[in-house]
């Protein structure tokens, strides 16, 4: 079905100042004109943190901030990448021999992830070369999915440059796998909302099979994003991938303790499905099976009946093999409780009870507490920002994205929004020179935006 493909729209550039500006920069840079433009949005996750890679549903929405690429396919097998932001240096490489450096996640490597994903999927012998100019309005390393948006936008550009087609679902799944070229073991939320988002609605994203369901957010509230101004790059630090491995190890131990085929299970949802239990019941199982103290490699190996060496080689990812301590109880408890909160959030939005806004706020607050205390993916600045947001009228506030920096999302009654923004600005941003510098794009209300799209000049 045509509606399953990313939309294409013909536009008059005079009516699209941003595209017109990008075209002028492109012409100045490459002495030629773009053949098309692609846009991929960032996202804010309202609830459901660090559970997509465990198989569980999440509830994000696309935001207006995005990645935009002006592109021109070339007859020569060369990729020329330039960025509208002068702090990101130009990059060129041979399209027939793309290599991605995991040890140094520079901006161009995320583009190359999207390129390589398409190249490998279609087994392209001679992938098209390209001139590409990238421009973005998503703050980098802010937890609003700037890196995944770049991967998705690059995948879409490469698809078009090579005359291929894929559905939105296929593109989302392919770009999820593609980002692993740079070493990020993500679960697919960012790429899915990037392609499946629709203006005016949040989405419940479910996996295996991938599908998106509209979630109508309550009227009378605004969702406000506040940047802690602490950057965290998922691929540049081990925190994220260690959590993925802790969940994988917790899956193996739970499965083994219940007599299941632990080698065949990689996600915490696999265990729940096999045991045919509800999420509340899984929390009871977690209490029965795990002790709260951290587990060492030897103890985990003993439970599974394998040596520490086998455990490292067979289960751990290459960039987590030097880790010796894992908190399995805390991570599993967070995942199962957070998965339940997502379903409850959707249910409240659907049923719209009288106390819906307060109930949704409570769920967001519980989510942040779990991220802070059980998953340990917050940081002092995020906690401070959440406290400030709650103090000045947010009904609910939580970190959003991977954490360890980045942004919070707060649900604020619409009639309190203006005062809320002024108070948070004063309390968090005015007392720091660095935050004041970043202030302009650090605090804003947002509405559910649309997904990835291709623009053609009319």
């Amino acid at each position: 079905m045509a509606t399953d493909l990313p939309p294409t729209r013909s536009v008059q550039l005079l009516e699209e100042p941003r595209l017109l500006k990008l075209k002028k920069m492109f012409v100045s840079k490459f002495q030629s004109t773009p053949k098309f433009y692609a846009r991929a949005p960032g996202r804010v996750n309202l609830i459901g943190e660090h559970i997509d890679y465990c198989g569980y549903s999440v509830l994000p929405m696309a935001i207006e901030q995005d990645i935009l690429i002006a592109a021109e396919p070339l007859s020569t097998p060369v990729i020329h990448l330039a960025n509208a932001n002068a702090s990101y240096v130009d990059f060129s490489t041979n399209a027939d021999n793309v290599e991605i450096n995991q040890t140094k996640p520079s901006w161009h490597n995320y583009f190359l992830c999207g390129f390589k994903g398409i190249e490998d999927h279609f087994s392209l012998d001679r992938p098209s070369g390209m001139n590409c100019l990238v421009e973005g309005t998503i703050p980098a390393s802010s937890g609003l999915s700037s890196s995944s948006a770049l991967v998705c936008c690059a995948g879409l550009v490469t698809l078009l440059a090579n005359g291929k087609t894929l559905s939105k679902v296929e593109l989302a799944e392919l770009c999820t796998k593609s980002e692993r070229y740079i070493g990020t073991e993500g679960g697919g939320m960012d790429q899915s909302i990037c392609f499946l988002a629709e203006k005016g609605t949040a989405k419940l994203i479910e996996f295996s099979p991938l599908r998106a369901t509209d979630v109508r957010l309550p009227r009378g509230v605004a969702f406000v994003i506040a940047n802690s101004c602490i950057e965290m790059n998922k691929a540049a630090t081990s925190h994220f991938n260690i959590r993925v491995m802790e969940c994988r190890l917790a899956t193996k131990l739970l499965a083994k303790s219940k007599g299941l085929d632990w080698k065949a299970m990689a996600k915490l949802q696999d265990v729940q499905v096999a045991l045919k239990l509800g999420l509340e019941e899984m929390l009871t199982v977690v209490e029965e099976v795990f002790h709260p103290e951290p587990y060492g490699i030897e103890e985990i190996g003993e439970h599974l009946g394998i040596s520490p060496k086998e455990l490292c080689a067979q289960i751990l990812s290459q960039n987590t093999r030097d880790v010796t301590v894992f908190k399995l109880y805390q991570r599993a408890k967070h995942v199962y409780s957070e998965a339940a909160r997502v379903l409850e959030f959707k249910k409240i939005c659907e049923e719209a009870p009288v106390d819906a806004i307060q109930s949704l706020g409570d769920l967001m607050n519980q989510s942040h507490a779990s991220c802070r205390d059980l998953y340990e993916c917050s940081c002092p600045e995020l906690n401070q920002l959440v406290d400030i947001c709650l103090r000045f009228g947010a009904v609910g506030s939580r970190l959003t994205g991977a954490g360890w920096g980045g942004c919070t999302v707060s649900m604020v009654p619409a009639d309190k929004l203006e005062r809320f923004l002024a108070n948070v600005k004063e309390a968090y941003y005015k007392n720091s020179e660095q935050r004041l510098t970043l202030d302009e794009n650090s605090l804003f209300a947002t509405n559910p935006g649309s997904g990835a799209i291709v623009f053609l000049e009319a």
Side-chain angles (χ1 to χ4, degrees):
M1 286 172 61
T3 53
D4 291 337
L5 301 175
T8 299
R9 187 192 306 160
S10 291
V11 293
Q12 297 282 351
L13 290 201
L14 287 174
E15 297 170 7
E16 300 287 344
R18 197 166 153 223
L19 288 178
L20 183 60
K21 184 181 176 185
L22 195 63
K23 179 183 178 179
K24 288 176 178 176
M25 290 180 73
F26 187 99
V27 172
S28 173
K29 184 76 187 174
F30 297 113
Q31 283 75 56
S32 56
T33 55
K35 294 297 180 287
F36 61 87
Y37 306 81
R39 172 195 180 265
R43 62 96 191 96
V44 59
N45 190 26
L46 299 178
I47 196 161
E49 224 58 77
H50 286 281
I51 62 173
D52 56 341
Y53 53 77
C54 296
Y56 286 108
S57 304
V58 291
L59 214 154
M61 67 183 191
I63 57 176
E64 291 154 16
Q65 285 80 355
D66 58 21
I67 297 289
L68 203 55
I69 298 178
E72 176 194 22
L74 299 175
S75 55
T76 53
V78 182
I79 301 170
H80 297 294
L81 302 178
N83 200 301
N85 184 335
S87 61
Y88 297 110
V89 297
D90 293 0
F91 179 82
S92 296
T93 189
N94 190 318
D96 294 331
N97 186 29
V98 165
E99 292 183 2
I100 296 167
N101 184 351
Q102 284 195 13
T103 60
K104 192 180 178 186
S106 302
W107 76 274
H108 62 260
N109 282 318
Y110 290 98
F111 184 100
L112 296 178
C113 284
F115 176 90
K116 192 165 172 55
I118 297 296
E119 179 188 33
D120 290 355
H121 179 81
F122 288 102
S123 302
L124 299 175
D125 289 331
R126 296 182 61 78
S128 174
M130 291 183 282
N131 285 333
C132 290
L133 178 60
V134 179
E135 190 244 1
T137 55
I138 312 167
S141 302
S142 63
L144 300 177
S145 196
S146 58
S147 54
S148 295
L150 179 51
V151 173
C152 290
C153 207
L156 184 54
V157 163
T158 307
L159 186 77
L160 290 165
N162 286 279
K164 304 294 184 182
T165 56
L166 286 173
S167 72
K168 289 185 274 192
V169 166
E170 288 169 326
L171 269 166
E173 291 178 330
L174 188 149
C175 288
T176 300
K177 292 174 189 165
S178 300
E179 201 163 327
R180 291 173 192 156
Y181 290 128
I182 207 165
T184 304
E185 299 276 343
M189 168 177 63
D190 301 348
Q191 299 81 2
S192 300
I193 192 65
C194 186
F195 286 108
L196 303 176
E198 292 179 76
K199 196 173 180 67
T201 179
K203 293 280 186 178
L204 180 80
I205 305 283
E206 299 171 86
F207 304 96
S208 302
L210 176 60
R211 61 184 176 200
T213 308
D214 289 358
V215 177
R216 296 288 170 186
L217 300 171
R219 292 180 179 177
V221 294
F223 287 91
V224 176
I225 294 170
N227 193 340
S228 70
C229 303
I230 302 295
E231 290 192 2
M232 185 273 173
N233 186 315
K234 278 191 295 194
T237 73
S238 58
H239 295 307
F240 184 89
N241 287 329
I242 290 170
R243 294 299 181 276
V244 178
M245 291 306 119
E246 285 175 318
C247 291
R248 188 176 296 175
L249 290 168
T251 299
K252 305 288 187 189
L253 260 66
L254 281 173
K256 182 78 190 297
S257 73
K258 294 297 176 183
L260 303 172
D261 180 7
W262 64 268
K263 289 185 179 178
M265 297 192 176
K267 298 176 181 178
L268 284 164
Q269 191 195 43
D270 297 342
V271 181
Q272 185 199 352
V273 170
L275 294 177
K276 299 187 170 112
L277 296 176
L279 288 164
E280 291 297 325
E281 292 169 304
M282 285 309 301
L283 286 167
T284 304
V285 173
V286 167
E287 297 290 343
E288 291 169 356
V289 172
F290 294 121
H291 54 67
E293 297 77 29
Y295 286 73
I297 289 277
E298 293 79 7
E299 184 181 1
I300 296 170
E302 284 171 19
H303 280 291
L304 298 177
I306 58 176
S307 69
K309 191 175 179 182
E310 288 171 315
L311 189 151
C312 285
Q314 294 172 20
I315 302 175
L316 297 184
S317 62
Q318 198 165 351
N319 50 14
T320 58
R321 286 175 186 165
D322 58 345
V323 182
T324 55
V325 175
F326 301 90
K327 294 187 177 181
L328 307 188
Y329 166 81
Q330 290 83 353
R331 310 317 184 215
K333 190 172 180 180
H334 165 78
V335 169
Y336 288 127
S337 62
E338 185 78 347
R341 282 187 285 271
V342 170
L343 300 181
E344 183 64 18
F345 196 100
K346 176 177 180 278
K347 184 182 174 197
I348 292 168
C349 287
E350 285 174 343
E351 296 177 357
V354 180
D355 62 346
I357 290 171
Q358 186 59 55
S359 297
L360 294 175
D362 290 344
L363 288 171
M364 292 175 73
N365 295 334
Q366 291 163 22
S367 172
H368 183 75
S370 185
C371 286
R372 181 190 66 213
D373 301 334
L374 293 175
Y375 221 70
E376 296 178 284
C377 60
S378 190
C379 67
E381 292 83 0
L382 280 172
N383 296 334
Q384 180 194 3
L385 193 46
V386 163
D387 290 343
I388 287 170
C389 290
L390 291 171
R391 191 194 325 153
F392 289 119
V395 185
S397 188
R398 58 181 295 277
L399 67 83
T400 185
W404 298 287
C407 291
T408 63
V409 60
S410 301
M411 187 170 64
V412 182
D415 58 359
K416 293 182 180 177
L417 178 60
E418 203 171 318
R419 193 83 199 111
F420 172 85
L421 293 171
N423 284 332
V424 173
K425 191 172 185 177
E426 184 70 32
Y428 188 76
Y429 297 98
K430 288 284 171 71
N431 64 1
S432 160
E433 198 66 43
Q434 179 211 4
R435 293 175 191 169
L436 203 54
T437 308
L438 297 167
D439 177 38
E440 195 178 321
N441 299 312
S442 293
L443 182 68
F444 55 91
T446 188
N447 295 307
S450 53
I453 187 170
V454 176
F455 296 110
L456 301 174
E457 184 174 359

